[in-house]
């Protein structure tokens, strides 16, 4: 286990293959998940790329810290990990809130990004009313009542089978998520809006949607893609909000196809 102290939070991270000279992909997680969700993607792409992943503060084994954490706070955590590991530039691949974190870095530190992969995310996710209602309900009743509704957005019915142990594991991961860390990240999503800032992004960018994503549906990801000059759009079939668990092979192949076409990598 590896940790980096960033301010008053110890951030849990995992680095695979960094010393082998391969292009480095930094992965940034979604709300209520930890870095293990990327295991299938790292297994699929690990021969060609090195990986840096971490648990967002308030998730997994990372401490929550004492202060509220904005998208920019999470972005600073990624940059702190890169500095600590002496990594100049990464292929930045963010899922959902992780995609907002990736957008923040792409806008404020484009020189640190070789390419951008924005997965199951948007320039703005949901409304303030929706997030405030979710945060209020979780603070009052805990996460349990919202676990199954969230599962319906994360995964298609075919994946949500009672005999699917991976589904059971993903459900347990969310049910065990710490409330304060979840609510702070939910507030960060509520407060983020990259609609205008994205128009100036000049990085090679791939936007990915899941055909059955109930949180950031394909139409919204298409809107995101339309904001970023020259960006590509791809859709994963039979897939909800968390493709790295539901369709890891198709997801990894989609990203590999995009990356291998980039002359500068
Ligand atoms: O959990 C959800 O409802 C989906 C989601 C929105 C932002 C994020 O990271 O996950």
């Amino acid at each position: 286990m590896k940790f980096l102290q960033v301010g008053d939070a110890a951030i849990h991270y995992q680095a695979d293959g960094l010393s082998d000279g391969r292009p480095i992909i930094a992965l940034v997680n979604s709300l209520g998940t930890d870095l293990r969700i990327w295991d299938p993607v790292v297994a699929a792409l690990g021969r060609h790329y090195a990986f840096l992943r971490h648990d967002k503060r308030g998730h997994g084994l990372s401490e929550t810290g004492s202060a509220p954490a904005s998208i920019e706070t999470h972005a600073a955590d990624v940059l702190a990990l890169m500095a600590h590991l002496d990594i100049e530039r990464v292929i930045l691949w963010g899922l959902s809130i992780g995609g907002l974190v990736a957008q923040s870095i792409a806008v404020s530190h484009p020189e640190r990004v070789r390419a951008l992969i924005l997965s199951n995310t948007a320039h703005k996710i949901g409304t303030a009313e929706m997030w405030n209602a979710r945060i209020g309900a979780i603070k009052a009743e805990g996460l349990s009542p919202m676990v199954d509704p969230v599962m319906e957005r994360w995964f298609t019915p075919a994946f949500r089978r009672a005999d699917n142990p991976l589904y059971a594991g993903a459900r347990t991961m969310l049910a065990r998520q710490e409330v304060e860390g979840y609510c702070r990240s939910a507030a960060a999503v509520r407060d983020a809006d990259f609609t205008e800032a994205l128009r100036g992004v000049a990085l090679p960018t791939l936007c990915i949607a899941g055909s059955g994503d109930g949180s950031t549906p394909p139409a919204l990801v298409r809107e995101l893609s339309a904001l970023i000059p020259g960006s590509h759009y791809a859709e994963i079939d039979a897939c909800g909000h968390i493709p790295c668990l539901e369709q890891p092979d198709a997801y990894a192949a989609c990203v590999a196809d995009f990356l291998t076409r980039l002359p500068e990598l």
Side-chain angles (χ1 to χ4, degrees):
M1 282 196 291
K2 293 208 165 79
F3 291 86
L4 177 68
Q5 189 70 36
V6 186
D8 67 354
I11 302 295
H12 176 230
Y13 71 94
Q14 185 169 334
D16 295 289
L18 289 195
S19 56
D20 299 341
R22 286 170 279 180
I24 300 168
I25 297 180
L27 300 164
V28 193
N29 274 72
S30 57
L31 193 57
T33 66
D34 64 52
L35 57 74
R36 291 171 293 186
I37 65 167
W38 298 104
D39 285 350
V41 161
V42 172
L45 298 178
R47 276 185 50 215
H48 303 289
Y49 300 95
F51 287 91
L52 169 63
R53 41 185 166 153
H54 73 289
D55 290 332
K56 275 191 312 301
R57 50 181 66 220
H59 289 67
L61 296 181
S62 291
E63 287 186 307
T64 307
S66 56
S70 64
I71 293 298
E72 286 68 33
T73 312
H74 292 297
D77 288 342
V78 175
L79 293 168
L81 285 166
M82 287 173 63
H84 173 66
L85 296 166
D86 210 12
I87 300 171
E88 186 74 30
R89 293 172 82 210
V90 291
I91 298 158
L92 194 52
W93 180 346
L95 175 66
S96 201
I97 179 179
L100 290 168
V101 174
Q103 289 170 60
S104 169
I105 295 172
V107 166
S108 60
H109 293 280
E111 74 286 356
R112 310 301 300 275
V113 184
R114 298 175 82 159
L116 192 57
I117 299 157
L118 301 176
S119 172
N120 303 75
T121 188
H123 39 298
K124 176 158 182 54
I125 304 177
T127 61
E129 295 70 33
M130 181 209 109
W131 287 111
N132 286 337
R134 196 189 292 195
I135 292 165
I138 291 171
K139 287 198 166 157
E141 301 165 40
L143 271 151
S144 303
M146 46 86 60
V147 168
D148 284 321
V150 168
M151 289 297 115
E152 289 175 17
R153 297 192 290 271
W154 277 15
F155 301 114
T156 66
F159 190 83
R160 281 187 273 120
R161 296 185 324 272
D163 66 346
N164 180 2
L166 191 52
Y167 171 60
R171 195 182 176 288
T172 302
M173 179 177 57
L174 180 63
R176 291 186 181 163
Q177 165 64 42
E178 184 220 320
V179 164
E180 185 60 25
Y182 187 97
C183 289
R184 286 193 193 174
S185 285
V189 176
R190 176 196 65 200
D191 297 340
D193 184 348
F194 289 97
T195 309
E196 290 311 315
L198 285 179
R199 298 184 204 277
V201 168
L203 294 163
T205 302
L206 172 65
C207 299
I208 305 178
S211 62
D213 184 343
S215 295
T216 51
L220 184 62
V221 182
R222 277 188 190 277
E223 271 180 43
L224 167 72
S225 183
L227 290 172
I228 304 172
S231 78
H232 299 263
Y233 171 84
E235 204 167 300
I236 310 291
D237 280 339
C239 191
H241 190 61
I242 315 282
C244 42
L245 290 178
E246 186 161 8
Q247 298 290 352
D249 293 339
Y251 190 43
C254 171
V255 170
D257 184 56
F258 167 68
L259 292 177
T260 49
R261 287 167 201 262
L262 296 180
E264 61 269 38
L265 285 185

